[in-house]
């Protein structure tokens, strides 16, 4: 971003997992790690768990080969500036924005991501569904993970990005809420060479509840790929894997799991071929980053932004930042969440 250029943005969220959407159809924006960190800073920037850059697939070398199937590429960045392969909540917000902006019609269409093509279903109103593709469960006894002062043998699951699912069988939902996730989890880089999103899971009536420490972000109010990983690991643990279709049938019954997160609830449907993620995707307000508002201080960038929509307008729209959502859920250390 040049100092003389205003940068339009949209703030959105999926169950409290919040994003800054940056429309950049022709790929003109130089989205550096410093710029991402500055925009996502909750005190001196707009504040978000990550950035969704909206760019034509044909304008991105890594996605150009997909342009014939998916017109738009979701360039997702974590709040620390790192590049991520996939984001389930982000994909739903991205798709909702495409429809709201008139770049796509309500219904089914395909978007491109670093994890490949993803089919989304966006009604004119209501929940958005994204086809997350097939999960990959790690073989073997599991991986040692330390998080929230506890040691777990985690189940490794890939949803296009790495997850370590930790089952806390001795805890209930109130005890889960009492855990301190402000410190980064510990695990072997041999098990997770690209890092991992770490979920802690407990049973609840009708499904499961989880909290998550996201790679490159910290604890968030929700994680879509994490909810999928949790649902798959939970179902497989109970022998509830999707079955092959019976003779004469075109489809087999799928496994449906409702996953509670601090920011709300998501529904995960695991079929024999793929995983579907369904949940809300809200666009909250539009804004403009003023020329020269984002600059580097030393090695890291900090932001001094002025948005056309104020924080009061955001609150009036019914959205708090991740810190407030975690605090509202009664989670310790929420003031340090990002």
């Amino acid at each position: 971003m040049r100092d003389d250029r205003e940068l339009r943005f949209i703030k959105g969220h999926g169950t409290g997992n919040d994003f800054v959407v940056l429309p950049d159809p022709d790929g003109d924006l130089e989205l550096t790690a410093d710029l991402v960190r500055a925009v996502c800073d909750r005190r001196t920037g707009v504040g978000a768990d990550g950035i969704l850059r909206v760019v034509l697939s044909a304008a991105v070398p890594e996605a150009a080969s997909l342009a014939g199937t998916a017109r738009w590429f979701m360039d997702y960045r974590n709040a620390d500036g790192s590049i991520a392969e996939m984001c389930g909540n982000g994909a739903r917000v991205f798709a909702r924005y495409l429809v709201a902006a008139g770049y796509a019609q309500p219904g089914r269409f395909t978007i491109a991501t670093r994890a490949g093509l993803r089919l989304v279903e966006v009604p004119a109103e209501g929940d958005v569904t994204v086809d997350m593709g097939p999960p990959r469960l790690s073989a073997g006894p599991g991986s040692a993970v330390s998080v929230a002062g506890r040691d777990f043998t985690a189940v490794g699951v890939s949803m296009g990005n790495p997850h370590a699912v930790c089952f806390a069988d001795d805890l209930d939902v109130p005890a889960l809420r009492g855990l301190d996730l402000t410190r980064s989890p510990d695990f072997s880089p041999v098990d997770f060479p690209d890092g991992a999103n770490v979920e802690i899971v407990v049973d609840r009536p009708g499904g499961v509840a989880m909290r998550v420490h996201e790679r490159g972000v910290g604890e968030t109010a929700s994680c879509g790929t994490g909810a999928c990983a949790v649902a798959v690991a939970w179902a497989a643990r109970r022998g509830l894997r999707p079955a092959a279709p019976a003779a004469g049938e075109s489809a087999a019954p799928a496994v449906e799991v409702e996953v509670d997160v601090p920011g709300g609830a998501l529904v995960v449907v695991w079929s024999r071929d793929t995983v579907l993620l369904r949940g809300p995707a809200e666009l909250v307000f539009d804004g403009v980053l003023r020329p020269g508002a984002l600059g580097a201080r030393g090695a890291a960038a900090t932001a001094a932004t002025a948005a056309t929509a104020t924080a009061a307008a955001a609150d009036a729209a019914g959205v708090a930042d991740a810190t407030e959502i975690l605090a509202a859920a009664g989670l310790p250390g929420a003031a340090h969440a990002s």
Side-chain angles (χ1 to χ4, degrees), residues 190-206:
V190 174
D191 294 329
F192 299 101
D194 297 319
N197 304 287
V198 177
E199 293 83 22
I200 305 179
V201 188
V202 301
D203 286 347
R204 64 160 186 82

Side-chain angles (χ1 to χ4, degrees), residues 93-320:
V93 172
F94 184 90
R96 173 58 71 195
Y97 168 75
L98 291 178
V99 170
Y103 292 141
Q105 295 298 312
R108 292 187 176 186
F109 55 91
T110 302
I111 61 173
T113 75
R114 290 188 177 87
L117 297 171
R118 293 293 183 265
L119 178 67
V120 296
E121 184 172 356
V122 188
E125 297 181 354
D127 288 352
V128 175
T129 302
V130 56
D131 186 331
M132 301 294 290
R136 294 201 309 272
L137 279 152
S138 297
S143 303
V145 173
S146 296
V147 61
R150 299 168 64 92
D151 295 328
F152 295 93
T153 299
V155 179
V157 182
S158 174
M159 291 302 310
N161 58 351
H163 292 267
V165 180
C166 303
F167 291 100
D169 295 325
D170 59 327
L171 300 183
D172 56 13
V173 173
L176 174 67
R177 290 174 178 164
L179 297 179
D180 184 352
L181 267 66
T182 56
R183 296 186 61 181
S184 296
D186 291 324
F187 46 77
S188 170
V190 174
D191 294 329
F192 299 101
D194 297 319
N197 304 287
V198 177
E199 293 83 22
I200 305 179
V201 188
V202 301
D203 286 347
R204 64 160 186 82
V208 296
M210 63 170 264
R211 288 175 65 188
V212 58
H213 192 288
E214 286 201 53
R215 177 185 59 167
V217 185
E219 183 175 18
T220 60
S222 179
C223 176
T225 55
C228 294
V230 162
V232 167
W234 181 84
R237 198 178 187 220
R238 286 157 178 75
L240 299 177
R241 293 173 182 264
E249 295 184 354
S250 59
V255 178
E256 183 170 314
V257 182
E258 185 171 297
V259 182
D260 277 3
V261 295
L266 296 164
V267 175
V268 178
V269 180
W270 183 20
S271 67
R272 184 169 176 81
D273 299 320
T274 193
V275 172
L276 301 180
L277 174 67
R278 184 172 71 245
E282 306 290 344
L283 302 178
V284 185
F285 64 92
D286 292 19
V288 176
L289 297 173
R290 292 182 178 175
L294 300 177
R297 294 181 180 178
T302 59
T305 68
T308 56
T310 65
D315 289 342
V319 168

